[in-house]
């Protein structure tokens, strides 16, 4: 089971947001996508989840093309996500926010649930129990019957991840899960996310918090100006001069960066040789 | 045949001008607030009643009134309705600015209901004869009849629309209104007085609507408290057809709708072999409205809604 | 027990007493109704029909968050179904229950046929299109004389009868309505609590996020439209059977707005709120009958004021039937 991007592109008019990105995500690992603002990280997530249409190329999960499916079909084939700006169902309770995720599997039994009270009761109890368990995992059980919109910001972030987990997704897309969290909350989040690593789950995190990414992720994709700049392990990424320049430098074009990096490597190489 | 065509063309232009005046109000309000103002049809109705009131109370005998006095009455009435519009926005819509998307719409339904019944209580529910603002002279053009009223309506509507167009595109006020239409949050950040811009829109929209009401009433010689409902919906159709939020779109949509309606009304009984009579004229407009919304919700000149501009806000 | 006087301690008590009081009043009214003069029973019957309509429309407006301004069209579908199938118009005299089923089905069908094209529209456009649809239905009813009798309508409808029991006098209609309203209310409330009801709420809160958790929003919305339409249609059948006369006059835009108003005033998305809203909007004008022409003005102003100062309505969404039951039976 893998998630593959095949030459995907996203264009708004003449403006290219994602340019020919190909990569592969494998289960059991936590993948990070990083890059400066406007690099196209969120666009990748949004295209994978079906929120944005893909201009060309393919997104393939388990050999199945996803890019032409409707958003709810993508969700039902096992891709769950959180949003950069929290999007909970504000006026529903925390528990209901999770329960509603049972819709795709249980909507067929709606008539039985409405007309046959004992069945309805058992359905509701089963749902509640399963969801409470996930709430407990995130230490949210105390908020179960509070309106989601009334939760503290950090708890809302957690609840959104919990909601994505109820769907028992094969691919979990987290769009800046640490945004707006304080230091303590970020640590808590990092610990929870590490626990979510599972051999049959692909996790992809878009994040600006480099500490979190470097601690958590097994593989990192670096985006720059809509192109894939580099991918590798955290250590490789940290050591890569292209990446350093993309983050620190001001060059606008990827080729410029490459050229500059080449130049730098050459200089470094010379220096290294001189030293030895 | 030529006479009929000319006559029907003038008919369509006349009614189209009136639709355009009202449609502009819908489109401008939608532009700044993204709200459908259900009470806008009532501004049209209020215009006719305000002018009638001014004529009977202030001027007295209509026969003795000169053109200048009539012009004064006309402008007095529409400016008064403009202020009513500003007041309504202050009281009924502004408190809901940060509420859900549909709350101001529901509020405007309430305003509409109140205004219709308010006028019914004050002036009686029956239709009232309306004095013509123009002499009832008729011309014969290649066998078709064109009245002076129609010409007057065309000229008045043209002047008003040209005035609005200049105001929006040339004046400082217009720039502010356009900025707010473009993006209210950005305009606010730039220190633009958003409330002033919205008040401007709620002044000029009802003003034009009221002008439409007076012209309509003098065209048909009748007015009633409920006259705003159907015409309002048609003008709204015109605004949607042209692309809601777009000022040229509203005018274009209004004339297209008028021509379709005049043509359709003439052709419906013929095409359907007498099964569908002229009473289906309103059905025709509603059908156009529904079709446009389904096929091209952005209208003719409106910008298609892209996925980026999908605003996340609860509708209820 | 002097501590009861402090606000903190008094609150839970009033919270229980007020619902109890209101509930007791409602039960007393229901029990007393059969002994009232016929005129009053007719008013109560009208109220019950409006409650039924409110419960139906609330599914679309309150649960799924879609503003439908043409609900009266479905009401008309039901009324005319009864009028055509149980009158001398075509000399058809089908049994009441069968017509009820046919009408519920036709209502559902109309709802789906209207829903398929329009449900992808944004909220405000949906409102306008449904409004236009309601008007089209009314204009058509007014003009297809051979079918609907045009503006004169259809008269001399059959008396409703179920298993040989006739429902024609106001008291009889009252009992019939009571049973139907209660059944529908319970079913709709159970629907609200079902997984479908939760999906409706999710769509209302954030349509796009709802898609993101795998909800086929189009289907869920269609289900809301269809259910709501068939309840509206059922209300229409009972309305026609109790009036034994139908004409397009009963199905104006104002009627649609009134039902929306009931929901907004009473409490969006809450069956108890609908009952409260309907009671206020239908009974109040009866009490103020001398000021007949002022009452719609009053309703219009009330709508504006309530949306501004109390957008959640008189009975908030959080105080639903489950809270009432718990309040009544302890626990």
């Amino acid at each position: 089971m893998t998630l593959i991007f095949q030459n995907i592109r996203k264009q708004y008019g003449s403006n290219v947001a994602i340019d020919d990105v190909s990569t592969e995500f494998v289960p059991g690992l936590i993948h990070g996508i990083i890059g400066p603002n406007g690099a196209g990280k969120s666009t990748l997530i949004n295209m994978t989840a079906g929120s944005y249409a893909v201009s060309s190329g393919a997104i393939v999960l388990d050999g199945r093309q996803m890019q032409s499916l409707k958003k709810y079909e993508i969700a039902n084939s096992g891709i769950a996500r959180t949003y950069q700006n929290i999007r909970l169902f504000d006026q529903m309770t925390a528990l209901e926010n999770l329960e509603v995720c049972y819709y795709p599997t249980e909507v067929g039994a709606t008539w039985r649930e409405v007309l046959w009270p004992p069945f309805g009761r058992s359905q509701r109890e089963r749902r509640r129990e399963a969801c409470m368990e996930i709430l407990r995992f995130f230490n949210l059980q105390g908020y179960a019957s509070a309106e989601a919109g009334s939760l503290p910001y950090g708890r809302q972030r957690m609840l959104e991840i919990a909601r994505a987990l109820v769907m028992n997704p094969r691919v979990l897309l987290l769009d800046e899960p640490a945004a707006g969290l304080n230091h303590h909350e970020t640590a808590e989040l990092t610990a929870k996310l590490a626990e979510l690593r599972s051999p049959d789950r692909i996790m992809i995190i878009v994040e600006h918090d480099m500490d979190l990414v470097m601690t958590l992720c097994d593989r990192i994709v670096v985006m720059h100006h809509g192109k894939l700049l580099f991918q590798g392990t955290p250590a490789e990424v940290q050591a890569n001069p292209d990446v350093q320049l993309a983050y620190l430098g001001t060059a606008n074009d990827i080729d410029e960066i490459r050229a500059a990096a080449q130049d730098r490597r050459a200089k470094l190489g010379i220096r290294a040789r001189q030293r030895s | 045949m030529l006479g009929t065509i000319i006559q029907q063309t003038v008919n369509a232009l006349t009614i189209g001008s009136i639709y355009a005046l009202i449609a502009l109000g819908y489109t401008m309000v939608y532009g700044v607030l993204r709200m459908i103002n259900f009470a806008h049809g009532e501004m049209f109705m209020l215009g006719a009643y305000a002018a009638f009131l001014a004529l009977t109370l202030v001027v007295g005998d209509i026969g003795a009134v000169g053109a200048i006095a009539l012009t004064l009455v006309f402008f007095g009435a529409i400016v008064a309705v403009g202020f009513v519009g500003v007041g309504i926005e202050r009281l009924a819509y502004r408190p809901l600015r940060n509420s859900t998307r549909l709350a101001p719409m529901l509020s405007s339904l309430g305003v509409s209901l109140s205004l219709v019944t308010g006028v019914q209580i004050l002036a009686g529910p029956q239709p009232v004869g309306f004095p013509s603002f123009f002499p009832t002279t008729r011309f014969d053009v290649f066998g078709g009849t064109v009245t002076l009223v129609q010409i007057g309506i065309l000229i008045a509507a043209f002047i008003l629309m040209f005035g609005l167009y200049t105001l929006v595109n040339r004046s400082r006020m217009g720039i502010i209104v356009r900025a707010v239409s473009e993006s209210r949050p950005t305009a606010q950040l730039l220190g633009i007085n958003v409330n002033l811009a919205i008040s401007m829109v709620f002044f000029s929209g009802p003003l034009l609507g009221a002008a439409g009401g007076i012209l309509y009433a003098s065209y048909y010689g009748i007015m009633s408290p409920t006259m705003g409902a159907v015409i309002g919906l048609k003008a709204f159709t015109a605004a949607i057809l042209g692309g809601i939020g777009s000022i040229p779109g509203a005018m274009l949509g209004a004339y297209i709708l008028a021509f379709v309606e005049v043509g359709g009304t003439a052709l419906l009984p013929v095409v359907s072999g007498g099964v569908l009579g002229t009473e289906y004229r309103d059905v025709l407009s509603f059908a156009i409205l529904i079709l446009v919304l389904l096929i091209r919700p952005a209208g003719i000149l409106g910008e298609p809604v892209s996925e980026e501009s999908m605003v996340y806000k609860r509708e209820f | 027990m002097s501590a009861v006087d402090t606000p903190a301690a008094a609150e839970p008590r009033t919270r229980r007493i007020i619902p109890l009081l209101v509930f007791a009043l409602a039960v007393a009214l229901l029990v007393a109704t059969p002994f009232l003069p016929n005129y009053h029973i007719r008013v109560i019957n009208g109220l019950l029909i409006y409650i039924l309509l409110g419960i139906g429309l609330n599914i679309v407006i309150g649960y799924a968050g879609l503003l439908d301004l043409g609900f009266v069209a479905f009401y008309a579908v039901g009324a005319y179904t009864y009028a055509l199938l149980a009158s001398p118009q075509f000399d058809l005299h089908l049994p009441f229950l069968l017509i009820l089923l046919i009408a519920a089905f036709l209502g559902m069908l109309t709802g789906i046929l209207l829903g398929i094209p329009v449900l992808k529209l944004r909220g405000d456009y949906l409102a306008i299109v449904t409004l236009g649809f309601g008007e089209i239905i009314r204009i058509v009813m007014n003009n297809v004389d051979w079918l609907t009798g045009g503006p004169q309508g259809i008269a001399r409808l059959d008396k409703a009868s179920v298993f040989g029991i006739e429902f024609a006098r106001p008291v009889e209609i009252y009992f019939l309505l009571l049973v139907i309203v209660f059944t529908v209310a319970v079913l709709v409330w159970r629907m609200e609590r079902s997984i479908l009801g939760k999906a409706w709420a999710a769509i209302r809160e954030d349509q796009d996020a709802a898609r993101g958790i795998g909800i086929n929003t189009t289907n869920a919305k269609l289900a809301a439209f269809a259910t709501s339409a068939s309840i509206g249609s059922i209300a229409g059948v009972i309305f026609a059977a109790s009036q034994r006369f139908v004409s397009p006059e009963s199905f104006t835009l104002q009627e649609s707005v009134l039902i929306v108003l009931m929901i907004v005033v009473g409490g969006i998305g809450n069956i108890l709120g609908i009952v409260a809203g309907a009671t206020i909007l239908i009974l109040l004008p009866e009490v103020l009958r001398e000021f007949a022409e002022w009452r719609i003005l009053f309703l219009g102003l009330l709508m504006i004021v309530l949306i501004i100062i109390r957008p959640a309505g008189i009975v908030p969404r959080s105080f639903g039937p489950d809270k009432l039951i718990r309040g009544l039976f302890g626990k």
Side-chain angles (χ1 to χ4, degrees), chain B residues 3-42:
Chain B
T4 318
I5 290 176
I6 288 176
Q7 189 175 329
Q8 294 294 359
T9 307
V10 176
N11 287 349
L13 283 174
T14 312
I15 197 77
S17 301
I18 293 171
Y19 288 166
L21 287 175
I22 313 165
L24 284 169
Y26 279 111
T27 225
M28 285 193 298
V29 167
Y30 193 87
V32 293
L33 287 184
R34 301 287 181 271
M35 156 200 173
I36 296 171
N37 182 7
F38 279 111
H40 189 59
E42 271 50 73

Side-chain angles (χ1 to χ4, degrees), chain B residues 232-242 253 257 285-286 288-290 292:
Chain B
L233 211 63
K234 286 186 185 171
F236 179 76
T237 305
I240 293 271
L241 182 62
L257 183 71
S285 328
F286 288 128
I288 292 174
L289 170 65
I290 293 177
V292 173

Side-chain angles (χ1 to χ4, degrees), chain B residues 30 101 244 279 293-294 315, chain C residues 117 122-125 129 143 297:
Chain B
Y30 193 87
R101 258 179 72 100
I244 196 149
E279 64 273 12
L293 283 177
L294 295 179
E315 303 212 303
Chain C
R122 263 199 347 247
D124 42 3
Y125 285 3
V129 170
N143 291 300
L297 178 63

Side-chain angles (χ1 to χ4, degrees), chain B residues 286 290, chain C residues 68-74 76 114 127-141 248 251-253 256:
Chain B
F286 288 128
I290 293 177
Chain C
D68 176 359
L69 291 178
F71 189 61
V72 86
F74 306 124
L114 173 67
I128 284 287
V129 170
T130 49
L131 186 151
F133 175 74
E135 285 294 285
I136 288 181
I137 292 262
R138 194 178 56 81
I139 296 172
V140 169
M141 283 185 314
F251 309 104
T252 55
L253 172 62
S256 288

